[in-house]
């Protein structure tokens, strides 16, 4: 990622992190609308799950200046996904739902192609490491 992309993401992320419960709710609504059968993979409380997801997203975005610091946490997160029924091909709809959530949280006017691509690059980094760990 370029420094400009990192700055773009970090300057818009407060619009998401200021209401993590709403962001998580939007995310899972989008995800389950795309892939209803994913619902049964999640065994725990979805509010707790949503907070864990948003905490991880905050950690990723905060760490973009030093991506090497994210490798071990992402690797460990990927290993945790092993045995949960999550498959490598699930990452594509998960990424689509994540970008929809970003769009809804920042608003259509701020969701420029540049912003889309910057948020997508973060997802690609995270998903790439996690999928290798699986
Ligand atoms: C970059 C991609 C992803 C991120 C950042 C992410 C993040 C997380 C986090 C932070 C947790 C909680 C782990 C813990 O309890 O310590 C988790 C659990 C989980 N994730 Fe993901 N995840 C990703 C991809 C996926 C995909 C593609 C699926 C497939 C639907 C998925 C399904 C699950 C499930 C089923 C759990 C366990 C929930 C439970 O305990 O019931 N994740 N994920």
């Amino acid at each position: 990622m370029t420094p400009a992309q990192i700055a773009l993401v970090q300057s818009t992320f407060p619009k998401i992190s200021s209401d993590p419960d709403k962001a998580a709710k939007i995310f899972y609504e989008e995800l389950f609308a795309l892939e209803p059968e994913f619902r049964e993979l999640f065994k725990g409380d979805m509010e707790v799950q949503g907070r864990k997801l948003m905490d991880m997203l905050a950690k990723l975005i905060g760490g973009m200046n030093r991506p090497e610091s994210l490798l071990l946490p992402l690797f460990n997160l990927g290993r945790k996904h092993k045995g949960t029924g999550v498959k490598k091909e699930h990452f594509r709809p998960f990424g689509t739902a994540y970008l929809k959530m970003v769009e809804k949280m920042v608003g259509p006017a701020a969701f420029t192609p540049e912003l889309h691509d910057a948020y997508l690059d973060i997802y690609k980094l995270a998903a790439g490491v996690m999928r290798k760990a699986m």
Side-chain angles (χ1 to χ4, degrees):
M1 283 185 89
T2 65
Q5 282 185 305
I6 295 173
L8 189 60
V9 167
Q10 290 180 344
S11 68
T12 49
F13 188 59
K15 287 193 181 170
I16 299 173
S17 58
S18 60
D19 198 345
D21 290 345
K22 181 178 171 196
K25 190 168 175 283
I26 292 175
F27 170 75
Y28 287 110
E29 275 171 10
E30 293 288 344
L31 184 66
F32 297 147
L34 281 174
E35 303 286 346
E37 72 280 9
F38 281 10
R39 222 179 257 278
E40 64 204 42
L41 297 172
F42 293 89
K43 313 288 183 207
D45 182 310
M46 287 314 283
E47 232 171 82
V48 175
Q49 175 61 26
R51 294 215 183 106
K52 285 184 182 173
L53 180 67
M54 297 313 295
D55 283 351
M56 187 64 197
L57 189 56
K59 189 169 172 175
L60 287 175
I61 286 171
M64 283 322 294
N65 304 304
R66 284 196 322 117
E68 66 284 0
S69 70
L70 300 171
L71 295 180
L72 188 59
L74 281 171
F75 193 81
N76 289 334
L77 184 62
R79 283 214 299 217
K80 272 195 179 168
H81 281 70
K82 248 189 121 173
T84 54
V86 175
K87 300 201 177 78
K88 290 188 177 178
E89 57 268 27
H90 291 169
F91 279 84
R92 184 175 278 275
F94 199 94
T96 304
Y98 151 81
L99 288 170
K100 276 273 168 207
M101 176 279 287
V102 173
E103 181 177 7
K104 288 193 173 169
M105 291 301 288
V106 303
F111 194 70
T112 58
E114 290 74 28
L115 195 75
H116 168 280
D117 292 354
Y119 274 92
L120 177 60
D121 280 0
I122 295 171
Y123 183 71
K124 282 189 184 159
L125 169 85
V129 179
M130 287 176 65
R131 286 167 50 124
K132 279 208 183 76
M134 290 168 75

